[in-house]
Each structure stands twice: as structure tokens, then as C-alpha cells.
Amino acid sequence: MHPYIAVPATLLLVLRAWSNKSLTPAGLVAGALTAVVHALHPWNVFFVLLVVFFLGGSSVSKVKHNVKERLTQSSTGASGGEGPRTHIQVLANSAVASALILLHYRQLMIREKSGHSGQECWRYGEDILVVGIVSNYAAVAADTFSSELGILSKSKPRLITSINLREVPPGTNGGVTVAGISAGLLGAFTIALTSVLLLPFCSVDNSRTGRLFGNNQSGLDGGTAWGVQEKCLWVLAVTLWGGVGSMLDSFLGGWLQASVIDGRTGKIIEGIGGKKVPVHSREDTKKTDDHPSRKIESGFGLLDNNGVNYLMALSMSAGGMVVASYFWNLPFMSILS
């Protein structure tokens, strides 16, 4: 990405996050470093995906915020709702994509040194690292939209990890609604649409050079070019894969993350910065009866929210590359070559 675009764009992102108090000071540093890594890549698309994810996530977090903060409560005893995101939260959503971007940048530099253009178009059936990067942002965008908008559903969420899909309080990890699933697909679609507009797809080329590199035919016809049909399938696949990521996050959260409920209000307690919520509060140590103010609604408490998000992003990125390598008949380890 050209420095004269990347530098002011990164500064604007940091300034917006600081003015809106979207990130903590450490979160601002992590966000800026993440933006720099994305800007290193010669393709603009990955930096823009980061921007779309950040702006989209910030926007949906503000939708009826006064309503959402009354549905849960903070572990400090205050009302719930998402506060400024920490550096851990930033990295949980973007670290996998950042690593894959650096790997792909390395591949382009190797090609350039060997005599090929480092900024050549993306051929159908090649570069599964691109699939992994887009999969990461489709999944985390879907999860963010689903969490921020699904909690506003008029219907009670149902625990996806329970046999009878029992009803649970809003904000429970693993609780899903039709509205939340639909919102997740919308979030994934924003990433799919951005990627199809900005990725440097190889188009059908009937010239001698196009015939030499197989770009005279679209991918579904045995060539390496991206036609309208291939791009439409790309948008559909990325959107659905992002939705799968949101569902996977619900499964992982329902199993591995403890949802702690306040015994007096019946509300889910949210940990600050995505951290684990202590089951025993200070009030419990002062009480003389046997009724604790907090109890576990679901989950085993093996991971906090940040761990679940990172595991989901890693799984969906790796899974997307595995699926692409299968359909395109490419070795998975080509990501390291």
C-alpha cells in the first residue's frame, strides 16, 4: 500500500478511536501496529478490510447502547455494555490475519525477486493465504455483528450447546437467536463485498499472454481467471463462512467460557476487557447465608472471551485455507513456500 495513503489513513483511524474512546491506550498502540502490518502489503484490500471491520464493529456497538447496557452488568457492579477495547481484544481479532498478511507479503517479494511481478493479479485456484486472511475478517465481523445486534432480539436466546436449546439470559455465551445469526451474516457480507470490490482478481484475457497463463478462461471452466460467476460464488462463500465462524464462536463460548449470572438481578455479568468474571464477588465473602450473589449459568471457564475469539479466528482462517486447498487441489503447506 502506498505510504501517502497508509500513513494518513492510519493516523485517522487512531484519532477516531481515541476521540470516541473505542480503544484503551494500549489498544491504540496495538491497533496502530496492526494497521502498519496491513499497510505493508502492496494490495490495498487488506488494510481496507481492517478499516471496514473496525468501523462496522464500532457502529453496531453504538446501536441502542443505552438499551444493551441495561441487559447485562459489568463485573464491577456497574451497568453492562462494551467499554473501550484493550490491546488483547484487538490482537484476538487481528493477530491471525496480520501473521498471514506477512506470510503473503513474503511470497510476493520472493516472486518479484525471481522475475515475476510482486503485485500481479490473483489467479483463481492460487494463493490460499488470501482465503485465510479474508476468512479471518469475515468470521470476526460476523461474530461482532451477531453479538452487538443479536442481544437486542425480542426473542430469548437459546443455548446452542444444550440438548434442548434451553432459554438463557441475554448476553450468555453460546446463546443464539435468529436475529443474531442474521446480523452475523450481514457482518460477513460487508467483508465479502469489500473483498470482491478490491481484490486484484485476474480477469479473462484472450490475448496471447492471457492464453499463456491460462487467463483466457474462467476458473470454473478450467482456467485461472475470475469471471462474474466466480466472483458471485466468492461473495456467497465468504458470507456463509463468516456465518459459520459466528456459530463456532457461540459453540466455543458456550463450552469453554463461563457465563456468570447475578443471583439477584438475573443478568449476565461481563468481564472487563473480555476477561474472566470471578464467580465469588466481594459481597459473597461478607454474607452469612448460603446463597451466593453469582453463579455459573453455562460453560467450563477454561478460556475468557479473548481466548475464545482468538481460537475462533484461528480455526476459521485455517479452515478456510484447508477448504480452498481441497477444492483447488493445492498443498496446504504452500502457505510457507
Side-chain angles (χ1 to χ4, degrees), residues 257-333:
Q257 185 180 354
S259 293
V260 180
I261 191 171
D262 184 88
R264 297 160 301 179
T265 64
K267 295 180 180 179
I268 292 294
I269 303 173
E270 295 182 321
I272 299 176
K275 296 180 179 179
K276 291 183 179 180
V277 177
V279 178
H280 300 289
S281 65
R282 293 180 179 179
E283 294 182 7
D284 289 338
T285 61
K286 301 177 183 179
K287 293 174 66 173
T288 58
D289 57 29
D290 296 327
H291 300 285
S293 62
R294 297 179 178 182
K295 64 178 182 178
I296 295 179
E297 173 70 20
S298 62
F300 295 106
L302 299 177
L303 295 176
D304 61 10
N305 186 253
N306 299 320
V308 168
N309 287 342
Y310 177 80
L311 181 58
M312 184 275 291
L314 177 62
S315 300
M316 294 309 297
S317 290
M321 292 188 291
V322 167
V323 172
S325 67
Y326 173 78
F327 280 102
W328 289 347
N329 196 27
L330 286 175
F332 180 80
M333 296 309 294

Side-chain angles (χ1 to χ4, degrees), residues 60-263:
V60 295
S61 66
K62 295 178 181 178
V63 175
K64 295 187 177 181
H65 185 269
N66 59 330
V67 175
K68 289 187 285 190
E69 68 180 1
R70 294 197 298 267
L71 296 175
T72 61
Q73 69 181 60
S74 171
S75 58
T76 61
S79 58
E82 184 70 54
R85 295 183 180 271
T86 67
H87 60 292
I88 301 297
Q89 290 174 298
V90 171
L91 295 176
N93 287 304
S94 61
V96 174
S98 297
L100 297 181
I101 285 171
L102 291 176
L103 282 175
H104 192 246
Y105 176 66
R106 171 180 169 273
Q107 286 187 347
L108 295 184
M109 294 302 99
I110 291 175
R111 292 176 194 171
E112 190 171 28
K113 289 180 180 178
S114 64
H116 296 87
S117 172
Q119 301 185 41
E120 61 186 3
C121 62
W122 183 32
R123 296 186 180 90
Y124 183 89
E126 297 184 6
D127 284 353
I128 60 175
L129 279 170
V130 177
V131 177
I133 298 165
V134 177
S135 294
N136 178 100
Y137 281 114
V140 296
D143 176 51
T144 302
F145 274 59
S146 180
S147 300
E148 294 292 344
L149 300 180
I151 196 173
L152 297 172
S153 173
K154 295 181 179 179
S155 61
K156 275 267 193 179
R158 293 188 175 271
L159 188 62
I160 198 171
T161 54
S162 65
I163 297 176
N164 60 346
L165 296 176
R166 64 181 175 89
E167 291 186 350
V168 288
T172 301
N173 300 305
V176 298
T177 62
V178 173
I181 294 172
S182 301
L185 291 172
L186 175 61
F189 177 73
T190 64
I191 298 299
L193 183 61
T194 303
S195 66
V196 81
L197 292 175
L198 295 180
L199 276 170
F201 295 106
C202 290
S203 56
V204 177
D205 181 6
N206 290 316
S207 67
R208 179 180 299 177
T209 303
R211 290 193 297 271
L212 177 64
F213 290 101
N215 293 340
N216 61 320
Q217 285 186 312
S218 62
L220 295 178
D221 292 328
T224 60
W226 290 80
V228 174
Q229 188 175 3
E230 286 80 8
K231 291 180 180 179
C232 289
L233 287 175
W234 169 262
V235 172
L236 178 62
V238 170
T239 301
L240 293 178
W241 192 249
V244 171
S246 177
M247 296 297 289
L248 175 62
D249 188 87
S250 297
F251 272 108
L252 294 174
W255 279 324
L256 304 178
Q257 185 180 354
S259 293
V260 180
I261 191 171
D262 184 88

